[in-house]
Amino acid sequence: MNIKPYVRKAQYYETDQMGIIHHANYIHWMEEARVDFMEQVGFGYDRAIKEGIDFALLGLSCEYKSMVSFGDTVNIEVSISALTVTKMTVHYQITDAITGKLRTTGESIHCYFDSNRKRPVSLKKVLPELYDLFASYVA
């Protein structure tokens, strides 16, 4: 299945005093894109929660390459760059929707978390369907 980039238009309230998107907003955009990715692959975040699995954030990085300003539209490409039975690394590439210019890259690392027992689990054991689905999208 071909995953479409998540498209996001920069809003005025997301800007800082210099008129560019405040750095903290990119983290929200990555989360939005990750949730969209899960919907596109056919196993939405809401379904994972209903199955008792959540994704605890272990780490996050972001490199700003060029500025995004109010009104700009960006494409956010999401891929799984690493996968084990207990965690995954998600990669993000944010580009200008018109010019294709690279704006930001980032990664988030997540462990699979049993939302009922409040502890990490092996996704391959507790929800093999989702693990296999993620494995088919590792870049």
Side-chain angles (χ1 to χ4, degrees):
M1 176 180 183
N2 191 14
I3 301 298
K4 297 177 186 172
Y6 178 69
V7 179
R8 182 68 159 69
K9 186 171 183 175
Q11 301 299 312
Y12 182 75
Y13 73 88
E14 297 171 312
T15 62
D16 61 16
Q17 290 179 332
M18 295 183 292
I20 60 173
I21 299 304
H22 186 271
H23 63 272
N25 289 298
Y26 293 87
I27 307 308
H28 296 290
W29 293 1
M30 287 187 253
E31 181 176 326
E32 291 172 17
R34 188 173 62 253
V35 169
D36 179 71
F37 172 85
M38 289 185 66
E39 289 173 4
Q40 286 192 58
V41 301
F43 205 111
Y45 195 88
D46 57 339
R47 181 174 168 198
I49 297 297
K50 286 178 188 170
E51 298 278 348
I53 295 297
D54 207 339
F55 306 90
L57 184 67
L58 299 176
L60 182 66
S61 66
C62 194
E63 279 191 47
Y64 306 100
K65 306 293 185 177
S66 60
M67 293 180 272
V68 176
S69 300
F70 165 64
D72 290 351
T73 299
V74 295
N75 292 329
I76 306 172
E77 293 181 31
V78 176
S79 60
I80 299 173
S81 57
L83 179 74
T84 71
V85 297
T86 57
K87 66 183 179 177
M88 71 175 168
T89 303
V90 181
H91 178 78
Y92 310 89
Q93 182 167 302
I94 302 175
T95 57
D96 186 278
I98 295 170
T99 67
K101 185 174 182 178
L102 182 61
R103 300 294 187 194
T104 307
T105 60
E107 274 191 348
S108 58
I109 303 168
H110 307 264
C111 73
Y112 315 114
F113 191 78
D114 181 319
S115 55
N116 299 316
R117 294 189 179 141
K118 309 291 187 223
R119 63 183 178 100
V121 295
S122 166
L123 188 62
K124 193 169 187 173
K125 286 183 182 177
V126 299
L127 198 51
E129 175 188 0
L130 183 54
Y131 177 82
D132 292 342
L133 185 60
F134 283 161
S136 71
Y137 285 96
V138 174

